[in-house]
Amino acid sequence: MDIAWYGHAAFRLRGREAAVVMDPCAPTTGFRLNRPSADIVTVSRGQDTSHNFIDAVALESSGPQRTLDAPGEYEIKRVLATGVRTPGPEGARNVAFIVTIDEVIVAHLGDLQAMPERSAMEELQRADVVLLPCGGGSHLSPEAAASVAGAIAAPLVIPMLYQPEAADAVQTGLEPLSAFMREMGVTAEAPSDNHINVTRSSIPSAPTVTPLLARGA
């Protein structure tokens, strides 16, 4: 399964039989998706165009099509998805989605603001990969993000919602990736690619943080 980061909280997961775009963002974020194709779209914050800009996605014209924006269990084209309610900004609902494609389980935390409750955490702890907000500002702080990462204990962490450190990067007003990496106790290495291929056999045996370049920058 291929995981690509477009910037902000937008990712595409592409497996053998289906593709999922998660939290498509509007161009006002500084990132452009350029209409990636998808069979499924997940939305963590239904009233926020930085997480629900579905017009940026080319939904496939054939077969089942679904936009998922609420807690529940779903199965579409052999993709299993579970949405769980988690703490959002100013008490608003944030839906984290746990998606299984090609036997790899990915948890997208959306705009999580605090440690999830026990029932949600039980679902999130199934994840092999967690897509984690970590840049502070109006999002999860680097320190809080490190605590959440430790509680979920997924083998692979891919950061999102932070300030890319390249000189020509989109200016988000968030903290840089290095702030989160310090909290995790690991060296901040510059990301080298905008996607990663993850298979059941390639999942790290020890906790690993793998930052990606923003494809939509």
Side-chain angles (χ1 to χ4, degrees), residues 66-148:
R66 287 294 293 272
T67 297
L68 310 180
D69 60 4
E73 296 183 354
Y74 311 87
E75 182 174 358
I76 303 165
K77 295 189 72 171
R78 298 189 181 181
V79 173
L80 303 178
T82 301
V84 294
R85 182 164 185 158
T86 56
E90 299 177 354
R93 184 176 76 177
N94 179 75
V95 182
F97 279 93
I98 303 96
V99 174
T100 304
I101 302 180
D102 297 350
E103 300 182 331
V104 177
I105 304 173
V106 179
H108 186 294
L109 301 189
D111 199 5
L112 180 74
Q113 297 286 310
M115 189 70 72
E117 295 182 358
R118 181 176 178 179
S119 58
M121 186 63 78
E122 288 175 353
E123 292 289 343
L124 295 169
Q125 287 173 333
R126 299 191 291 112
D128 304 305
V129 183
V130 62
L131 311 179
L132 178 70
C134 65
S138 62
H139 311 295
L140 205 62
S141 70
E143 181 180 9
S147 295
V148 170

Side-chain angles (χ1 to χ4, degrees), residues 129-175:
V129 183
V130 62
L131 311 179
L132 178 70
C134 65
S138 62
H139 311 295
L140 205 62
S141 70
E143 181 180 9
S147 295
V148 170
I152 294 175
L156 180 59
V157 175
I158 300 178
M160 63 178 182
L161 290 172
Y162 63 87
Q163 173 59 49
E165 298 188 51
D168 59 349
V170 172
Q171 296 303 306
T172 63
L174 303 177
E175 294 194 52

